[in-house]
């Protein structure tokens, strides 16, 4: 992917937060009435430019249906939901407006060509672009329910800092960003830009010379199962997922980065399994104790927001543990001809689950086959570096190069900066790097490309370090991953070990749960290893599911106390209620499903005479009446449905990828085709009559 295309992912999540902060951190200010007078028209022009880029992308994808490129497949898996899509669009409008304003000011000479704009000017642009609402603290509910259950967005977990750890917020920066223009241009973007006297190597060249190995060059892990790798992928995509940008075209006459390389302008069992069973195996016991340690209680001063370096570098270590084969096993945990599936034949092929045995054969393979061992000279196989997302002749992707470029696009400083951040020594010589990797040949290849240890990309440097004792990461990634997971735990009010969240009986039941029990409860497997992350030998290391302990949900049963005059009301159609306590009284808090609105009180309280009010009902919302934020683009007709909305297009327009905009289908209207057909029939009929008359 082009650097500009991947950069859109950062801006979509951050809503230009890092971009905004990097400018405000400068001392030079550019502003005044002259510059400010351009802002409203400039933002509107940027809005039109972004919207046209979005529509152009949808039109291009429409014409390519049936021949999706690897880049399209990657973007389809990251399409944002409406709130994220709105933030992404606003961020792109803001970036476009700021870039154009700086360009105009520089060309007209109205102000000195400094790096920054004034804070007031940036605030005005943020407000007009629609970015500001995504940067302000959200409004937090103060019902008893909000103190008992986390919001789906993660917002309001910390009432003093309600955006900490929430979705649709900027990734945290633990070190200042490193951009070549100080704002958005990633390291290595300008060929003339030198680092310690040398240009950075192209990421694809790093893949070819250091990372890539053949599919046959696989050393298998003698301790851990393939499920350890799969769990890491699952957690990474859950914690650090970033949406695709609204548009992928470069603006202001820049190149489309999809077409050219030219660089012109939580669930509680998941918490338990990850911290208790998964993380100690990744960090090793010693590093786990150093960077994570035992739980000491909720700390409201800890920001659990996911960091850039964790999301885009450290937790991508697991890509080096991906086996080139998907190994599917029968009920006796045996392989058969055709049961081994190359990764290239598994991506985006869900029909294989339906036609080739379902999920159970894959689960057996994950449990009973070892993961690929990450070695310095066997980092990533060709299924990932040469054959990622192969569905047509339109090319493939290289996951290693994507990872390297993603780190640069996110402005991550180099490897040595992060070693210093973690209290590790900076590497200064070839001997230092050779000692850190325990592989002189790999150290030579890395330095042959980067020329200086300070230039090394953090993902590659951390990946190449030799393992800590009993770990599957080196010291740098152990530090970053441990620091992040500890923050996610200690900064979470709803962490399962917090005494204010669950009763002692409930915590005891949660502690009995395991991934093995989850597999037993959600698959057709009858036997599993006690520790699903350790590779199990069939049958001696597998236990019957009946012997795997799990949760007793009786600890969560809510029943009216003896002598209660209220009981529970009848179920609410298209909604429901939850029980909580407020000022010593039982309270029911009602909510409606998406697309419905409460009619009546949100909560009712139990009194000695019964409930103090009748329960509410749920009424369908007519989203088409929302003039401020219409669900359909102006090019489409809005049709209200029960609990939702449907955007319809007039022939020959068809609905675009966003489900709300009509785009040209490239064909004639059906009415025109009917007219042509009737005309043809009429002409043929007249010709037939004329011929008959002539013959007679």
């Amino acid at each position: 992917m082009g650097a500009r295309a991947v950069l859109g992912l950062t801006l979509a999540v951050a809503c230009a937060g890092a971009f905004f902060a990097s400018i405000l951190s400068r001392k030079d200010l550019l502003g005044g009435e002259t510059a400010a007078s351009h802002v409203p028209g400039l933002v509107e022009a940027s809005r039109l430019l972004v919207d046209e880029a979005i529509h152009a992308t949808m039109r291009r994808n429409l014409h390519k249906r049936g021949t999706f490129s690897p880049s399209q497949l990657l973007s389809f898996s990251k399409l944002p939901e409406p709130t994220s899509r709105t933030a992404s669009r606003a961020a792109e409008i803001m970036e476009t407006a700021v870039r154009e304003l700086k360009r105009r000011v520089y060309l007209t000479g109205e102000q000195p060509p400094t790096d920054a704009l004034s804070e007031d000017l940036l605030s005005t642009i943020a407000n007009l672009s629609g970015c500001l609402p995504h940067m302000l603290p959200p409004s937090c509910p103060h019902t008893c329910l909000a103190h008992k259950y986390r919001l789906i967005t993660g917002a309001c977990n910390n009432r003093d800092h309600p955006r900490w750890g929430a979705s649709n917020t900027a990734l945290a920066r633990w070190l200042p960003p490193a951009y070549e223009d100080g704002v958005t241009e990633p390291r290595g973007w300008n060929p003339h830009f030198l680092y310690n006297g040398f240009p950075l190597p192209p990421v694809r060249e790093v893949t070819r010379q250091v990372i890539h190995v053949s599919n046959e060059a696989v050393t298998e892990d003698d301790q851990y199962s393939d499920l350890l790798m799969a769990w890491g992928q699952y957690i990474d995509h859950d914690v650090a997922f970033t949406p695709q940008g609204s548009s992928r075209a470069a603006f202001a006459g820049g190149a489309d980065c999809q077409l050219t390389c030219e660089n012109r302008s939580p669930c509680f069992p998941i918490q338990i399994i990850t911290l208790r069973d998964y993380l100690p195996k990744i960090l090793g016991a010693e590093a786990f104790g150093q960077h994570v340690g035992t739980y000491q209680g909720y700390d409201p001063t800890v920001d659990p927001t996911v960091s850039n370096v964790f999301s885009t570098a450290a937790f991508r270590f697991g890509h080096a543990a991906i086996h080139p084969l998907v190994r599917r096993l029968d009920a006796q945990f045996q392989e058969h001809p055709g049961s081994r599936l190359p990764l290239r034949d598994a991506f985006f092929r869900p029909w294989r689950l339906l036609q080739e045995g379902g999920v159970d054969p894959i689960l057996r393979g994950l449990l009973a086959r070892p993961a690929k061992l990450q070695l310095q000279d066997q980092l990533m196989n060709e299924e990932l570096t040469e054959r990622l997302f192969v569905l047509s002749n339109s090319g493939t992707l290289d996951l290693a190069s994507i990872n390297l470029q993603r780190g640069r696009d996110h402005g991550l400083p180099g490897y040595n900066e992060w070693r210093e951040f973690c209290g590790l020594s900076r590497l200064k010589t070839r001997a230092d790097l050779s000692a850190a990797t325990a592989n002189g040949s790999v150290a030579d290849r890395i330095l042959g490309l980067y020329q200086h240890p300070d230039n090394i990309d953090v993902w590659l440097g951390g990946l190449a370090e030799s393992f800590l004792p009993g770990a599957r990461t080196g010291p740098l990634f152990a530090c970053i991953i441990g620091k992040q997971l500890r923050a996610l735990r200690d900064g979470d009010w709803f962490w399962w070990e917090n005494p204010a969240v669950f009763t002692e009986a409930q915590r005891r039941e949660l502690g009995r749960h395991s991934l093995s029990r989850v597999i037993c409860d959600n698959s057709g497997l009858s036997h599993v290893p006690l520790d699903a992350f350790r590779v199990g030998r069939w049958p001696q290391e597998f236990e019957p599911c009946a012997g795997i302990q799990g949760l007793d949900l009786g600890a969560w049963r809510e029943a009216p106390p003896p002598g209660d005059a209220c009981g529970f009301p009848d179920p609410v159609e298209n909604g429901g209620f939850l029980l909580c306590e407020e000022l010593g009284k039982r309270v029911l808090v009602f909510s409606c499903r998406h697309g419905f609105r409460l009619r009546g009180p949100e909560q009712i309280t139990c009194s000695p005479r019964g409930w103090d009010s009748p329960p509410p009902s749920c009424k369908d919302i007519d989203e088409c009446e929302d003039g401020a934020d219409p669900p359909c683009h102006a090019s489409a007709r809005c049709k209200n449905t029960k609990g939702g909305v449907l955007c319809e297009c007039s022939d020959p327009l068809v609905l675009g990828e966003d489900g709300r905009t009509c785009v040209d289908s490239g064909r004639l209207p059906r009415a025109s085709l009917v007219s042509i057909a009737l005309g043809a029939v009429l002409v043929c009929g007249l010709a037939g009559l004329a011929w008959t008359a002539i013959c007679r």
Side-chain angles (χ1 to χ4, degrees):
M1 291 178 71
R4 301 285 188 183
V6 183
L7 179 61
L9 304 182
T10 315
L11 292 172
V13 179
C15 195
F19 172 81
F20 196 69
S22 66
I23 293 179
L24 292 184
S25 66
R26 303 180 182 278
K27 295 180 180 179
D28 297 324
L29 297 177
L30 179 63
E33 295 180 0
T34 308
S37 65
H38 294 291
V39 170
L42 192 60
V43 171
E44 184 57 32
S46 301
R47 193 188 315 278
L48 294 174
L49 195 60
V50 169
D51 286 345
E52 175 54 32
I54 293 171
H55 297 156
T57 299
M58 289 191 294
R59 288 194 296 270
R60 184 167 60 250
N61 288 342
L62 178 69
H63 292 306
K64 292 182 178 179
R65 283 181 178 174
T67 58
F68 295 126
S69 70
S71 296
Q72 284 176 293
L73 291 173
L74 182 63
S75 69
F76 291 161
S77 69
K78 299 165 77 68
L79 286 176
E81 51 83 44
T83 304
S84 302
R85 185 169 61 236
T86 302
S88 171
R89 176 173 174 269
E92 291 180 3
I93 292 170
M94 179 174 176
E95 187 200 17
T96 304
V98 170
R99 280 186 173 277
E100 181 61 17
L101 182 60
K102 290 179 67 179
R103 187 186 71 84
R104 290 187 183 185
V105 170
Y106 178 80
L107 290 177
T108 59
E110 293 179 1
Q111 296 284 349
T114 54
D115 280 342
L117 306 175
S118 71
E119 184 173 351
D120 289 343
L121 199 58
L122 284 170
S123 297
T124 301
I125 296 174
N127 187 34
L128 292 173
S129 67
C131 218
L132 194 58
H134 301 282
M135 303 165 72
L136 297 175
S139 176
C140 295
H142 291 282
T143 64
C144 61
L145 198 64
H147 294 281
K148 188 175 182 180
Y149 302 102
R150 72 171 76 243
L151 300 179
I152 190 65
T153 62
C156 304
N157 190 309
N158 186 318
R159 292 304 173 115
D160 294 329
H161 304 280
R163 278 204 179 273
W164 279 7
S167 60
N168 287 321
T169 55
L171 296 172
R173 289 204 181 273
W174 292 349
L175 284 177
Y179 289 114
E180 289 187 349
D181 64 347
V183 181
T184 60
E185 286 186 356
R187 299 194 323 146
W189 184 253
N190 301 290
H192 63 275
F193 202 100
L194 302 182
Y195 293 84
N196 298 290
F198 303 96
L200 290 186
V203 294
R204 179 62 177 161
E205 199 60 30
V206 177
T207 295
R208 286 174 174 160
Q209 295 195 32
V210 181
I211 299 173
H212 163 81
V213 293
S214 69
N215 286 341
E216 291 70 35
V218 172
T219 301
E220 294 187 331
D221 196 316
D222 61 358
Q223 293 188 54
Y224 298 129
S225 69
D226 225 2
L227 193 57
L228 189 77
M229 175 279 300
W231 187 262
Q233 292 291 304
Y234 172 57
I235 293 302
D236 177 59
H237 293 174
D238 181 57
V239 172
F241 186 76
T242 56
Q244 176 71 34
S246 298
S247 65
R248 295 193 297 276
F251 305 122
D256 183 343
C257 295
Q258 300 299 316
L259 305 178
T260 178
C261 291
E262 180 184 1
N263 45 339
R264 289 187 274 130
S265 59
C267 173
F268 293 105
I270 293 176
Q271 293 179 355
I272 298 167
I273 293 166
T274 301
L275 265 291
R276 183 193 64 195
D277 304 333
Y278 170 80
L279 197 58
K281 295 177 174 64
I282 299 302
L283 306 188
E286 183 178 342
F288 182 87
Q290 176 185 354
H291 299 299
V292 183
T294 58
Y295 184 63
Q296 302 297 320
Y298 171 66
D299 186 346
T301 66
V302 172
D303 182 359
T305 301
V306 174
S307 68
N308 254 304
V309 68
F310 172 84
S311 171
T312 63
F315 214 50
R316 310 250 172 198
F317 81 95
H319 291 164
I322 297 177
H323 202 283
L325 297 172
V326 176
R327 293 159 292 182
R328 298 173 292 180
L329 307 181
D330 64 17
Q332 299 303 313
F333 287 81
Q334 301 299 311
E335 294 183 11
H336 295 283
S339 62
R340 287 191 164 206
L341 195 65
L343 277 180
R344 79 192 79 154
D345 295 330
F347 287 127
F348 292 97
R349 287 172 171 84
W351 55 265
R352 288 191 180 277
L353 291 177
L354 301 176
Q355 300 178 12
E356 299 181 1
V359 176
D360 289 356
I362 297 174
L363 282 174
R364 295 188 195 103
L366 291 174
L367 288 168
R369 292 294 182 268
K372 171 187 170 296
L373 188 64
Q374 173 189 324
L375 298 178
Q376 282 69 28
D377 54 359
Q378 295 179 4
L379 290 178
M380 289 176 68
N381 56 73
E382 64 186 81
E383 291 297 303
L384 301 176
T385 63
E386 309 296 324
R387 303 178 183 275
L388 189 67
F389 298 171
V390 179
L391 281 189
S392 65
N393 295 324
S394 57
T396 63
L397 294 178
D398 169 9
L399 184 58
S401 295
I402 289 174
N403 286 346
L404 288 165
Q405 189 62 52
R406 182 189 286 111
R408 296 181 182 185
D409 290 342
H410 279 249
L412 295 184
Y415 171 54
N416 262 337
E417 297 298 317
W418 289 106
R419 282 185 61 90
E420 192 170 65
F421 171 82
C422 283
L424 303 169
S425 62
R426 297 179 72 99
L427 307 184
K428 299 179 181 180
T429 65
R430 184 263 181 199
D432 292 342
L433 184 60
S434 181
T437 61
N439 190 310
S441 173
V442 170
D444 288 341
R445 278 182 279 154
I446 293 175
L447 282 181
L449 285 166
Y450 287 91
Q451 301 296 321
H452 194 284
D454 286 353
N455 296 351
I456 300 172
D457 290 287
V458 60
W459 180 70
L460 175 62
L463 204 64
E465 289 183 346
S466 57
F467 291 161
L468 291 170
R472 290 298 178 266
T473 55
L476 176 61
F477 280 178
C479 163
I480 294 171
I481 295 170
K483 175 180 172 65
Q484 181 67 73
L485 270 293
R486 177 169 183 163
L488 286 170
R489 180 193 68 183
D490 294 355
D492 180 12
W493 166 258
F494 294 101
W495 181 255
W496 73 282
E497 292 177 288
N498 185 350
V501 175
F502 290 115
T503 65
E504 184 178 350
Q506 291 169 342
R507 292 196 300 276
R508 185 167 55 250
E509 292 301 322
L510 286 168
R512 292 174 179 167
H513 213 39
S514 66
L515 182 54
S516 296
R517 185 68 252 173
V518 172
I519 293 172
C520 285
D521 292 340
N522 295 277
S523 73
L525 272 64
S526 59
H527 291 72
V528 293
L530 285 175
D531 185 346
F533 292 136
R534 291 196 175 273
V535 62
R537 291 176 295 173
W538 172 263
Q540 57 267 40
E541 294 179 350
F542 282 70
E543 297 289 334
C545 281
I548 305 294
Q549 65 179 357
L551 286 172
D552 178 4
L553 294 177
W556 282 266
R557 183 173 290 113
E558 295 177 328
D564 180 76
C566 298
F568 289 114
D570 294 332
V572 178
E573 185 179 5
N574 299 312
F577 57 82
L578 289 168
L579 175 67
C580 60
E581 192 169 295
E582 195 171 78
L583 301 177
K585 297 182 179 180
R586 285 204 309 134
V587 173
L588 293 183
V589 181
F590 292 82
S591 61
C592 295
R593 297 194 183 111
H594 181 75
F596 294 87
R597 181 186 295 114
L598 274 177
R599 176 183 283 178
E602 181 183 4
Q603 67 181 44
I604 57 178
T605 304
C606 182
S607 69
R609 297 183 178 181
W611 297 110
D612 63 353
S613 175
S617 60
C618 291
K619 178 188 176 184
D620 177 56
I621 300 173
D622 188 351
E623 291 89 351
C624 296
E625 294 180 350
D626 188 353
D629 187 19
C632 299
H633 188 264
S635 59
R637 293 189 308 273
C638 184
K639 180 181 178 182
N640 186 57
T641 61
K642 188 174 182 180
V645 68
L646 182 65
C647 299
E648 298 178 328
C649 300
S650 299
D651 187 56
L653 301 180
V654 295
L655 210 58
E657 292 172 6
D658 64 352
R660 62 186 299 270
T661 306
C662 294
V663 296
D664 187 6
S665 65
R667 59 171 174 77
L668 290 172
R670 293 187 180 90
S672 298
L673 295 175
V674 172
S675 300
I676 292 171
L678 290 176
V681 171
L682 181 60
V683 170
C684 291
L686 290 174
L689 289 173
W691 181 256
T692 301
I694 292 171
C695 289
R696 287 179 178 176

